[in-house]
Amino acid sequence: MHHQPTSADDLAAIITDAAARGARCEIRGGGSKAGMGAPRDAEVIDMRGFTGVVDYDPPELVLTVRAGTPLAEVQRLIAGEGQMLAFEPFDHGPLLGGELGQATIGGVVAAGVAGPQRLTMGGARDHLLGVTAVSGRGERFVAGAKVVKNVTGYDLPKLMANNWGRLAAMTELTLKVLPRPRATSTMVLEGLDHIAAVRAMACAMGSHAEIGAAAHLPGAEGRRALTLLRVQGFAPSVTARCAILPDLLRDHGAARLLPEEKAAALWDAVRDVTPLADAPTLWRISLPPFSTPALLDRFALLGARWLLDWAGGLVWLAHDGDATEIRSAAAMAGGHAMLIRAPEPIRAAIPMQHPRQSGVAALEARVRRSFDPAGVFETGRFLDMPHAD
Amino acid sequence: MLKMPAPDALVLGRREEIVAALRAIVPGEGVIAQAAALRPYESDGLTAYRQPPMVVVLPETVAQVSAILSWCHAQGVKVVPRGAGTSLSGGALPLADAVLMGMGKFNRVVEVDYNNRLAIVQPGVTNLAITRAVEERGFYYAPDPSSQIACTIGGNVAENSGGVHCLKYGLTTNNVLGIEMVTMAGEVLRLGGRHLDPAGLDLLGVMVGSEGLLGIVTEVTVRILPRSETARAMLVGFPSVESAGQCVADIIAEGIIPAGMEMMDRPAIHAAEAFVKVGYPLDVEALLIVELDGPAAECDHLIEEIARISGLNGAMTSRISTSEEERAAFWAGRKAAFPAVGRLSPDYYCMDGTIPRRRLPEVLRRMAELSEQHGLGVANVFHAGDGNLHPLILYDANKPGELERAEEFGNDILRLCVEVGGVLTGEHGVGVEKRDLMPEMFSQTDLDHQQRIKCAFDPELLLNPGKVFPTLHRCAELGRMHVHRGEVPFPELPRF
Ligand SMILES: Cc1cc2nc3c(=O)[nH]c(=O)nc-3n(C[C@H](O)[C@H](O)[C@H](O)COP(=O)(O)OP(=O)(O)OC[C@H]3O[C@@H](n4cnc5c(N)ncnc54)[C@H](O)[C@@H]3O)c2cc1C
């Protein structure tokens, strides 16, 4: 069944009815990430009936928008005012074999999607100020507020970001927006291996250069490895900060300025993971940057491919090998591994999200039951229900 | 007047047994039971409310915290966590029938990891001590509440504290990577770690700002940042609050997010100048302190821009710091604003609402009317960049009825904040102070969705009860769900 609510009342009625029928529902935006997680057979609640901007006052740095509004539309609107979503959300469509342009703002926030700038500007969680949603109880509720600074009550917007449709269907989001940097420059180091790259990025991150994003693309046929350092801000500041990098990084290589267009294309590639677009199995591993080299050493021997973002704290790993080994390596490194893309039989067996410590998993389950006592949103996608099959 | 949950006579009657049980877990001076020694703990920074605790326990290890909580959990004894006791909302206010757990002995910096740019500290470490521990290598911990010499990182996590630099660098929640915590049942959990965006639901995000209601924090991992190369401040005076407010909006519209942007109104300027004598202009209606940081080239560029923008908004005076001493002097008045206002009147009461900035002139106008109506003065300092107001209400607690009037005035201000689209608290927390105002901002359904989180963490409601929520529903009541034809849907799902 495919539900297409257009009002919070509709939505509440659908959820209440599903709970009474014992049906399970998947909350879906554009469906760009539907290919993630275990195959499942659930009713779909399509949120694209909730579109449009509710309120946007650029100097207040606050945007309120309905959840089903396409991400691209939101980005166009705020770019027109010289602003941005600083967590740099992106469209997973192409990465998962779909089309570009399907992603909705509600979907990217519910999945905690963030790009290279997450390193220094925070993730979706850090920019979600307020939410209107309908929980699994079929009740409409408000969390957070529409101002940039608020500590009134529990910080439920944090829970709503990255909840993957497991707690509530968000109908309206209030996001913090920030001025788009007036100037951007990218400095590059060539030919570093992953160990040297992580060191160079750490050195830059700890300096006065105020790096905004740092990524590493390993060498490929016909191209040397590239370590990218993005510097953003007002033009005089960007010039001054770039100028300190060659000397600062002299032990790591010769840092030079990349032409603007080339740099922009490379950052798009890092954010959208295009160099690994052909890999059948793709993992996203978040870990402490200095644990990355040892982890990669291990999988290099097995023929894995990768790229690094977040100064090495994010590894996109293309590797068809044993999932258990990847998970245990990620955990040993002090991080976690999310399965982004894999053939169906693997997704049916391996949970998409890294399993949690048992006490945390039990607490998460209690939190889920508190929003969704009947389990309307337990579609089996996450393979983490003790009794789900 | 504030009503706290009635003390449980049964628990009070078992005091000696409880003290003995705590002594068995924490030997020596770690358990304080003598009446006189309990006095220092009877209130936090919201001194209008006082209540000596039943007993104070000062654990030193996670194992002790866990043992205390599981014993109290098994015995149905309430626990109130406390850091340095600087909360301005009564979050650490003791209860007559509760154990007060002071975290002051958790005062070690466990590790500084420069490679991954983070520090791991125990919750009793003060906010400033984190910066002290990492400054030799040019790093600092960004959130800087004015109370930073005294307040603890555990308290900061519980309150999601901010500071004058949080417009650019974020509140506590944006700077914490992980915690270790102990639940009321005594279970030790780790949320997050040394990496970004932990797997699963963002329980860490909910723990930050949970005001000691969900668990005791026993370790905190924070991000550290390289200190900016330079910092400079500007002091700009305006003929009206409107023009100063418009200037703030124009600065942000120009794409500038200053490191700090503070505003003071006329009464606050005069009080501060009389106290610290740093040369604040006295003929202006509003004063902006704008701080820029980054490379010198950036500061120079932005100072020029801001001077231009403030000129367009009719600035009457403008000074730019040329040395560290001068920058410190510009801030001195603002930082001393509370004690300075304190000299104008025997007592003052600090409020903490946030509003959409564009409503500022209207809010200040109506605040002046309320001031008249309640017959009490008010001075305003605020974090102008993010619209977080700190009205300081002047009163004299020795005059009968003045405290009540000050509270009524404060409540009216907060109602006004909510009415114009803002919130009850921007950084000080709800605590007991704003607890009964929560329905101004949230419907019962909204509050129920929050309170069920409490039930997921602490179903017996033993941890810091009586704070944040106006009514304590039993969890069984909140968890009630509609059952269709007598069947529980999804009988295979575990119920908690
Ligand atoms: C002069 C002054 C200026 C201030 N300026 C600012 C400011 O600029 N910005 C700002 O945000 N705040 C400010 N505050 C408020 C206060 O300092 C902060 O709320 C601070 O974070 C409280 O820390 P604390 O260690 O004193 O905590 P406490 O007051 O002891 O406790 C605060 C809350 O935290 C809980 N708690 C404490 N430790 C733990 C723990 N380990 N685990 C779980 N819960 C715990 C308590 O139960 C309580 O609910 C100011 C206060 C004063 C007195």
Side-chain angles (χ1 to χ4, degrees):
Chain A
M1 220 193 290
H2 194 94
H3 306 279
Q4 287 186 298
T6 52
S7 71
D9 286 344
D10 276 359
L11 179 60
I14 290 165
I15 293 172
T16 307
D17 176 62
R21 288 185 291 117
R24 303 185 185 217
C25 296
E26 175 157 328
I27 304 162
R28 187 175 289 183
S32 64
K33 290 171 280 296
M36 289 175 69
R40 60 247 173 227
D41 180 25
E43 297 179 13
V44 169
I45 303 180
D46 184 337
M47 297 299 291
R48 285 175 299 186
F50 296 87
T51 56
V53 171
V54 178
D55 187 21
Y56 179 33
D57 189 348
E60 295 283 336
L61 304 176
V62 170
L63 165 72
T64 300
V65 61
R66 294 197 186 87
T69 312
L71 172 65
E73 198 179 310
V74 174
Q75 285 178 319
R76 245 193 327 273
L77 169 77
I78 60 178
E81 295 290 335
Q83 295 189 326
M84 63 174 176
L85 293 172
F87 56 106
E88 225 185 330
F90 62 100
D91 190 333
H92 274 65
L95 187 59
L96 295 166
E99 276 171 44
L100 194 66
Q102 300 301 307
T104 62
I105 187 69
V108 299
V109 169
V113 177
Q117 221 161 256
R118 197 277 168 247
L119 174 64
T120 51
M121 303 287 276
R125 72 186 295 271
D126 298 290
H127 297 88
L128 184 65
L129 301 171
V131 172
T132 303
V134 176
S135 69
R137 319 181 81 91
E139 293 170 349
R140 183 175 173 278
F141 70 99
V142 170
K146 297 181 175 178
V147 290
V148 295
K149 197 168 175 201
N150 171 30
V151 298
T152 319
Y154 296 137
D155 195 349
L156 289 195
K158 291 280 178 304
L159 262 190
M160 292 296 129
N162 204 25
N163 90 77
W164 283 92
R166 306 192 75 182
L167 302 177
M170 296 186 276
T171 56
E172 198 178 292
L173 293 80
T174 297
L175 292 154
K176 181 174 179 180
V177 291
L178 283 171
R180 178 178 285 278
R182 296 298 159 91
T184 300
S185 288
T186 297
M187 300 288 282
V188 66
L189 291 161
E190 285 189 50
L192 303 187
D193 66 11
H194 55 276
I195 303 170
V198 166
R199 286 186 186 285
M201 289 190 285
C203 173
M205 293 303 301
S207 77
H208 287 148
E210 291 172 31
I211 303 294
H216 176 72
L217 292 163
E221 245 160 82
R223 179 171 62 58
R224 301 182 71 196
L226 301 175
T227 307
L228 308 171
L229 301 167
R230 188 160 82 191
V231 180
Q232 299 163 297
F234 290 92
S237 171
V238 171
T239 310
R241 278 143 63 211
C242 284
I244 67 173
L245 284 171
D247 193 39
L248 180 84
L249 296 172
R250 66 181 179 279
D251 294 343
H252 303 271
R256 64 177 176 82
L257 192 67
L258 262 185
E260 214 166 297
E261 265 169 44
K262 177 141 197 238
L266 285 169
W267 283 112
D268 285 350
V270 168
R271 190 193 55 216
D272 302 339
V273 211
T274 36
L276 303 177
D278 58 341
T281 310
L282 184 66
W283 293 86
R284 180 182 179 277
I285 307 177
S286 173
L287 74 178
F290 259 61
S291 303
T292 293
L295 178 119
L296 291 181
D297 283 345
R298 178 161 169 189
F299 291 104
L301 295 173
L302 303 173
R305 293 186 298 142
W306 62 74
L307 67 86
L308 308 183
D309 198 355
W310 300 355
L314 179 65
V315 177
W316 290 96
L317 186 78
H319 182 48
D320 297 326
D322 184 9
T324 328
E325 195 182 340
I326 292 172
R327 285 253 149 95
S328 74
M332 249 171 48
H336 66 96
M338 181 185 259
L339 184 58
I340 300 291
R341 187 176 64 207
E344 212 175 282
I346 295 188
R347 287 190 283 119
I350 306 294
M352 172 189 131
Q353 294 179 331
H354 201 114
R356 268 75 78 195
Q357 180 193 354
S358 65
V360 174
L363 183 54
E364 273 191 38
R366 292 197 298 273
V367 171
R368 288 205 305 276
R369 288 291 71 73
S370 84
F371 281 87
D372 175 23
V376 180
F377 302 138
E378 299 288 1
T379 62
R381 183 181 192 179
F382 298 91
L383 300 175
D384 59 359
M385 291 305 300
H387 307 286
D389 45 27
Chain B
M1 244 354 233
L2 182 74
K3 256 183 63 190
M4 294 305 286
D8 182 337
L10 234 56
V11 170
L12 292 177
R14 292 172 55 201
R15 183 166 183 271
E16 267 172 48
E17 176 203 342
I18 292 167
V19 170
L22 293 175
R23 289 220 156 103
I25 300 169
V26 181
E29 294 177 353
V31 176
I32 302 169
Q34 203 210 347
L38 292 176
R39 188 80 26 87
Y41 296 95
E42 68 184 11
S43 78
D44 57 19
L46 185 70
T47 48
Y49 299 109
R50 291 171 192 278
Q51 167 63 58
M54 177 168 62
V55 52
V56 174
V57 62
L58 307 171
E60 283 180 70
T61 67
V62 179
Q64 287 174 350
V65 172
S66 167
I68 295 165
L69 291 176
S70 50
W71 189 85
C72 289
H73 181 246
Q75 300 294 319
V77 176
K78 296 167 193 159
V79 176
V80 176
R82 178 181 170 106
T86 67
S87 165
L88 292 173
S89 54
L93 179 70
L95 299 170
D97 60 345
V99 173
L100 186 77
M101 187 183 283
M103 297 303 288
K105 292 195 171 172
F106 278 77
N107 57 4
R108 249 173 358 98
V109 174
V110 178
E111 185 188 337
V112 178
D113 176 354
Y114 288 108
N115 284 332
N116 293 309
R117 294 177 304 284
L118 55 89
I120 302 177
V121 300
Q122 293 189 324
V125 170
T126 63
N127 174 290
L128 190 61
I130 303 179
T131 290
R132 292 280 176 262
V134 301
E135 67 190 355
E136 56 171 8
R137 294 265 299 262
F139 282 82
Y140 76 114
Y141 173 62
D144 57 344
S146 310
S147 50
Q148 67 180 158
I149 11 169
C151 67
T152 67
I153 187 68
N156 291 176
V157 167
E159 300 287 8
N160 189 13
S161 303
V164 294
H165 291 103
C166 69
L167 176 64
K168 183 167 174 186
Y169 295 103
L171 298 159
T172 303
T173 190
N174 312 111
N175 289 277
V176 168
L177 291 169
I179 58 170
E180 177 192 71
M181 61 171 278
V182 186
T183 64
M184 188 63 217
E187 189 177 16
V188 182
L189 301 176
R190 281 194 168 269
L191 303 175
R194 296 180 200 229
H195 57 290
L196 298 173
D197 297 343
L201 290 179
D202 193 353
L203 299 178
L204 173 61
V206 188
M207 272 303 292
V208 180
S210 61
E211 304 200 24
L213 268 71
L214 301 183
I216 302 266
V217 176
T218 49
E219 191 182 276
V220 187
T221 302
V222 298
R223 294 199 308 155
I224 53 172
L225 297 176
R227 176 77 76 185
S228 288
E229 190 185 306
T230 38
R232 289 172 73 190
M234 300 176 74
L235 204 57
V236 194
F238 291 88
S240 68
V241 171
E242 280 85 351
S243 53
Q246 189 56 47
C247 185
V248 169
D250 290 350
I251 289 171
I252 289 172
E254 275 300 306
I256 304 170
I257 302 290
M261 185 148 54
E262 296 290 303
M263 199 191 292
M264 297 166 79
D265 70 358
R266 190 182 184 92
I269 300 166
H270 283 251
E273 180 57 21
F275 188 44
V276 295
K277 302 191 177 57
V278 284
Y280 281 3
L282 296 176
D283 55 343
V284 301
E285 286 300 319
L287 187 65
L288 272 189
I289 307 172
V290 188
E291 180 157 295
L292 292 317
D293 65 2
E298 174 167 342
C299 294
D300 291 346
H301 172 74
L302 294 183
I303 283 172
E304 234 171 77
E305 278 291 289
I306 291 172
R308 182 181 62 80
I309 297 165
S310 37
L312 291 175
N313 281 292
M316 298 161 68
T317 65
S318 175
R319 284 170 61 196
I320 298 158
S321 73
T322 52
S323 65
E324 263 308 285
E325 293 71 55
E326 201 172 5
R327 184 178 74 90
F330 287 3
W331 278 112
R334 166 63 183 88
K335 293 210 162 159
F338 291 12
V341 167
R343 295 196 332 158
L344 299 182
S345 133
D347 298 285
Y348 69 91
Y349 181 31
C350 172
M351 308 307 297
D352 172 47
T354 302
I355 57 166
R357 266 187 286 98
R358 60 171 181 251
R359 309 295 293 268
L360 182 65
E362 174 193 347
V363 167
L364 290 185
R365 200 167 47 241
R366 288 177 59 189
M367 213 188 288
E369 287 165 19
L370 288 169
S371 163
E372 195 115 319
Q373 211 173 302
H374 290 278
L376 295 172
V378 62
N380 268 288
V381 296
F382 42 96
H383 306 304
D386 44 30
N388 186 193
L389 309 179
H390 288 320
L392 302 166
I393 299 173
L394 312 177
Y395 72 101
D396 181 351
N398 285 328
K399 291 198 187 140
E402 276 216 355
L403 168 63
E404 288 71 22
R405 253 166 49 220
E407 286 183 343
E408 255 325 295
F409 184 8
N411 289 347
D412 283 346
I413 292 176
L414 294 182
R415 286 189 193 104
L416 174 60
C417 290
V418 174
E419 183 196 316
V420 301
V423 302
L424 297 172
T425 169
E427 58 180 14
H428 294 167
V430 175
V432 295
E433 185 201 24
K434 297 153 209 130
R435 185 191 71 185
D436 297 339
L437 290 174
M438 287 289 270
E440 298 283 333
M441 199 172 138
F442 294 114
S443 73
Q444 192 55 50
T445 311
D446 302 339
L447 289 172
D448 287 349
H449 278 84
Q450 294 193 33
Q451 275 191 273
R452 283 189 208 96
I453 305 272
K454 169 74 169 168
C455 296
F457 280 78
D458 171 25
E460 289 81 22
L461 308 179
L462 292 171
L463 199 55
N464 216 5
K467 317 290 170 71
V468 184
F469 297 104
T471 37
L472 274 180
H473 292 294
R474 284 183 39 241
C475 286
E477 212 176 297
L478 280 167
R480 215 171 273 154
M481 51 184 277
H482 306 286
V483 176
H484 183 61
R485 284 192 235 110
E487 293 165 42
V488 179
F490 305 112
E492 81 280 14
L493 296 183
R495 313 260 160 213
F496 302 94

